[in-house]
Amino acid sequence: GVYSDLKRHEEAIADCSASIAINPENPQALNFRGALHMVSGRHADVQADLTAASGLAPAWADPTYNRAIVALCQADWTTVVEFATRAIALTKADEAPPDREELAVMFGARSVALEKLGDVTGAETDRHEALVLNPSFDPGIWSATPRYR
């Protein structure tokens, strides 16, 4: 939304909350609010919103994708693999053409987690897949950030 684009996250969260108050079964508002909580560092709120969004729209990849990114931020490598794998499967099963850049990010996130868990071959396979999907993808995007080392 507009507030989010302007980095006015608190106002965007308030708008999402108002939308959810009107329609508590709106997975898009829950997912967006969860993503806003993520950039605001409110990890407990993130999980509640993304879990609710996933429950309301189990075939929609976005909340699962966001849950993988939250786990990545927390260096919870097993959870990254779990949610990234699920998000990749949901994205591939969707009838709409996949967002190649988003899919590349999921393979990239999973590659970091796999490497941290000692699966170097799986990590290399996922990095390769990310680059096939998006040739400009930077596989070092997370390894260059101290919290992901």
Side-chain angles (χ1 to χ4, degrees), residues 44-104:
D45 294 329
V46 172
Q47 293 301 346
D49 282 349
L50 297 180
T51 299
S54 291
L56 290 167
W60 186 34
D62 286 13
T64 305
Y65 166 91
N66 286 334
R67 291 172 84 181
I69 297 302
V70 170
L72 184 73
C73 292
Q74 297 172 329
D76 182 351
W77 310 122
T78 302
T79 302
V80 173
V81 172
E82 174 190 348
F83 286 119
T85 300
R86 193 178 309 163
I88 290 165
L90 289 170
T91 300
K92 289 182 173 184
D94 194 339
E95 292 178 11
D99 179 327
R100 294 175 67 84
E101 287 183 24
E102 192 170 285
L103 202 51

Side-chain angles (χ1 to χ4, degrees), residues 1 4 12-13 16-17 19-20 23-39 45-57 60-70 87 102:
S4 177
I13 289 169
C16 288
S17 295
S19 176
I20 293 163
N23 179 6
E25 295 189 11
N26 181 343
Q28 289 85 3
L30 285 160
N31 180 62
F32 191 58
R33 188 174 71 178
L36 289 164
H37 285 313
M38 181 170 41
V39 298
D45 294 329
V46 172
Q47 293 301 346
D49 282 349
L50 297 180
T51 299
S54 291
L56 290 167
W60 186 34
D62 286 13
T64 305
Y65 166 91
N66 286 334
R67 291 172 84 181
I69 297 302
V70 170
E102 192 170 285

